[in-house]
Amino acid sequence: MSATLAILTVGVVPVDAVMPLLTEHIDEQQITQISLLGKMDPQDVYEDYAIEPGERPVHALLNNGEVAQVSRKKIERDLQAVISVIDKQNYDVILLMSTEHFIGLSARNAILLEPQRIIPPLVSSIVDGHQVGVIVPLAGLIPGQEEKWQILEHAPYYEVACTLHGSDSELLAAGRALIAKGADVLMLDCLGYHQKHRDLLQKALDVPVLLSNVLVARLASELLL
């Protein structure tokens, strides 16, 4: 029997960029994509996932192109509900495509891959003491990033470059600013960044560039052998 994979996302996440990595070992027909908020009416999202007082929000891309700030607790609750359903459908791997930190998610039967658990220690082992510069699409993501990258020997530097409405020049400017601060490895840590963005930075700036969604997709593909 062929291996099966469920890709679970919070909002709208195009998976075209990582699909070639996944289909090296699995037929595309064996891959199912499920989005918690991606098909919802944006107004319903704002009402059903309103942020509670004092809560650090989750940022999610909606189907109208807006980036919504939604309740972390409610997203965690409903992600686990979806995982519990998927887990009974004989999937071998459930890949959570999100760079957010969620608590308490689990699967009994399938292997649940959470980038937040995998990527920081993996990147730490790769960079081995080098100074990392992290590029994110929204300034509001930086507090979560600072918590995420505490594992690194040197605290990263941060710059913002939006992939939705930004340009190549904005991305290059962010990369140059990080290098000027002392970064010698760049990290694109958002599912909206693709290999074309990594290739652009590497060619123009001549520094190693890591792409979080590619790292986790490669790991998932190895589990599908």
Side-chain angles (χ1 to χ4, degrees), residues 6-15 18 33-37 56-61 68 70-72 75-76 79-80 83 94-103 105 112-120 136-137 141 144-145 148-149 187-193 211-217 220:
I7 300 175
L8 177 59
T9 67
V10 176
V12 176
V13 177
V15 297
V18 298
Q33 183 180 0
I34 303 163
S35 177
L36 184 62
L37 309 179
R56 182 160 60 87
V58 170
H59 294 78
L61 179 63
V70 293
S71 167
R72 185 172 299 273
I75 292 294
E76 288 174 343
L79 279 178
Q80 182 57 58
I83 290 170
I94 300 172
L95 172 57
L96 177 62
M97 290 287 284
S98 174
T99 56
E100 295 278 0
H101 177 57
F102 298 116
I103 298 174
L105 302 182
L112 175 61
L113 290 182
E114 298 179 70
Q116 179 67 22
R117 295 176 179 269
I118 298 166
I119 296 302
V136 292
L141 295 174
Q145 289 281 319
K148 176 178 183 176
W149 296 112
M187 179 77 190
L188 292 170
D189 197 24
C190 173
L191 299 180
Y193 295 131
L211 187 58
S212 58
N213 56 4
V214 167
L215 291 174
V216 74

Side-chain angles (χ1 to χ4, degrees), residues 23 26-32:
T23 53
I26 182 174
D27 190 286
E28 189 168 347
Q29 294 182 347
Q30 299 298 112
I31 300 175
T32 301

